[in-house]
């Protein structure tokens, strides 16, 4: 029975992986198709990538997507981290209230958030375009950063910052040199989530943009109304970029850990001999 359960679990896992990854493989394979067909592979070709690079609107949308995602990630990460640190020093009533307010945009349907932001910009007569898209992305990314940083802050010793200031550090030094390194995994996770949410967003971007400003998701939506294999090339490019980022995210920490372990191993014999010498004296 146990063997059957294990086999059944593996089959379910393989089917789930196939459900998620086969469409991605399909897109990548047909981005190299020599014909316009999206169902029959006729031969290998890079013509759709060449067409994508020559399409000024498509490249502009890619540039807009990356620009908005980077700005939204940086601003929301800083604002979310500072908010989370401030909440850790606030009273319980304020902390609970802000936490509930922070959770609301995450649970709120995205279409409602999009319409609300659009009406907000219209009410205050803010011209919709690149600026409104950046502001909207910052607004919906901050809650995810706070949600990622707060658990790391809760795990810290609450007297850590006070101890650093007792030793002569300023509040800014205590924050940057003591608190931030301790919560850096949460900050990094929040930044990654914010970048992914901003890069992938369509609904909010569609409602708050204007004057021909399009990110990649809006461009793909407009292209999907007609048969255009360049969509596969754009999607494959995004997949390649995300894959490279994920590889770097997973490989760089491993390299750092190995470097630290090697440094510790090199220093241990020296310290041990020094201690032994000191003990002998």
């Amino acid at each position: 029975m146990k063997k059957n359960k294990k086999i059944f679990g593996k089959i379910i896992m393989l089917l789930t992986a196939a459900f998620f990854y086969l469409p991605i493989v399909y897109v990548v394979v047909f981005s190299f198709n020599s014909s316009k067909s999206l169902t029959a592979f006729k031969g290998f070709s890079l013509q759709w990538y060449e067409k994508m690079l020559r399409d000024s609107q498509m490249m502009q949308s890619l540039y807009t997507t990356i620009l908005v995602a980077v700005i939204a990630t940086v601003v929301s990460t800083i604002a979310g981290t500072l908010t989370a640190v401030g909440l850790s020093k606030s009273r319980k009533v304020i902390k609970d209230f802000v936490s509930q307010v922070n959770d609301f945009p995450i649970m709120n349907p995205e279409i409602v958030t999009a319409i609300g932001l659009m009406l907000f910009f219209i009410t205050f007569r803010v011209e919709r375009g690149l600026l409104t898209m950046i502001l909207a992305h910052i607004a919906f990314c901050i809650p995810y950063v706070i949600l990622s940083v707060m658990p790391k802050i809760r795990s810290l010793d609450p007297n850590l910052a006070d101890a650093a200031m007792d030793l002569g550090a300023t509040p800014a030094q205590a924050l940057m040199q003591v608190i931030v390194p301790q919560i850096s995994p949460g900050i990094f996770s929040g930044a990654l989530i914010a970048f992914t949410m901003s890069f992938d967003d369509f609904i909010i971007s569609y409602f708050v943009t204007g004057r021909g400003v399009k990110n990649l998701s809006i461009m793909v939506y407009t292209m999907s109304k007609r048969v255009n294999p360049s969509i596969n090339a754009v999607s494959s490019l995004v997949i390649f970029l995300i894959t490279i980022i994920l590889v770097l995210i997973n490989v760089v920490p491993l390299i750092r850990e190995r470097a630290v372990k090697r440094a510790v191993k090199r220093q241990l014999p020296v310290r041990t001999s020094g201690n032994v010498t000191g003990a002998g004296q």
Side-chain angles (χ1 to χ4, degrees):
M1 289 293 293
K2 291 183 178 179
K3 291 183 178 179
N4 292 333
K5 288 182 179 179
K6 289 182 179 179
I7 294 172
F8 181 75
K10 290 180 179 179
I11 292 173
I12 294 297
M13 184 179 66
L14 290 173
L15 290 175
T16 303
F19 178 79
F20 283 111
Y21 289 103
L22 279 179
I24 297 175
V25 174
Y26 181 90
V27 168
V28 173
V29 169
F30 276 84
S31 69
F32 297 103
N33 195 5
S34 59
S35 69
K36 288 186 176 182
S37 176
L38 298 177
T39 56
F41 191 83
K42 299 296 180 65
F44 182 85
S45 176
L46 295 174
Q47 61 174 324
W48 305 118
Y49 287 92
E50 294 176 1
K51 185 177 180 180
M52 176 193 68
L53 295 174
R54 291 174 183 173
D55 192 332
S56 59
Q57 291 185 351
M58 196 175 297
M59 297 310 297
Q60 181 63 35
S61 66
L62 180 61
Y63 169 77
T64 301
T65 302
I66 296 174
L67 177 66
V68 172
V70 170
I71 295 176
T73 300
V74 172
V75 176
S76 63
T77 300
I78 295 172
T81 302
L82 292 176
T83 303
V85 173
L87 285 175
S88 66
K89 300 296 182 181
S90 302
R91 290 182 297 175
K92 188 177 184 301
V93 177
I94 298 175
K95 189 185 298 184
D96 292 341
F97 174 76
V98 175
S99 297
Q100 291 177 2
V101 172
N102 181 70
D103 293 340
F104 184 76
I106 298 175
M107 297 183 293
N108 199 37
E110 197 170 2
I111 184 67
V112 177
T113 303
I115 295 173
L117 287 169
M118 181 187 69
L119 294 176
F120 175 82
F121 293 133
I122 291 174
T123 302
F124 288 94
R125 297 181 180 179
V126 180
E127 186 177 357
R128 286 180 292 166
L130 181 62
L131 179 61
T132 55
M133 186 183 291
I134 292 174
L135 293 174
H137 281 227
I138 292 172
F140 74 74
C141 285
I142 288 177
Y144 292 96
V145 177
I146 296 175
L147 200 64
S148 298
V149 176
M150 282 301 295
K152 291 294 180 181
I153 293 179
R154 291 194 188 102
S155 65
L156 290 180
D157 186 344
N159 300 317
L160 197 61
D162 294 334
M165 288 187 286
D166 288 341
L167 294 173
T170 62
Q173 289 175 335
L175 175 64
M176 297 304 299
Q177 299 179 13
V178 179
I179 302 298
V180 170
Q182 295 292 324
I183 62 174
S184 58
I187 295 173
F188 189 75
S189 299
L192 185 61
I193 294 172
F195 182 84
T196 304
M197 295 294 294
S198 176
F199 197 93
D200 186 53
D201 181 74
F202 166 73
I203 297 176
I204 294 177
S205 301
Y206 187 80
F207 277 84
V208 301
T209 190
R211 281 204 167 190
V213 177
K214 299 179 181 179
N215 61 3
L216 200 58
S217 59
I218 297 175
M219 177 62 69
V220 171
Y221 171 74
T222 57
M223 292 170 61
S224 64
K225 296 178 181 179
R226 60 186 185 278
V227 178
N228 192 340
S230 296
I231 298 176
N232 293 335
V234 176
S235 303
S236 299
L237 180 62
V238 174
I239 292 169
F240 293 146
L241 290 174
I242 293 174
T243 302
I244 292 171
I245 292 172
L246 290 175
V247 169
L248 291 175
I249 289 171
N250 290 283
V251 170
V252 171
L254 292 176
I255 295 174
R256 288 181 179 176
E257 287 181 6
R258 290 181 181 178
V260 170
K261 288 180 180 179
R262 289 176 183 174
V264 171
K265 287 181 180 179
R266 290 175 183 175
Q267 292 176 3
L268 277 177
V270 178
R271 291 180 179 178
T272 304
S273 60
N275 293 335
V276 172
T277 303
Q281 291 174 354

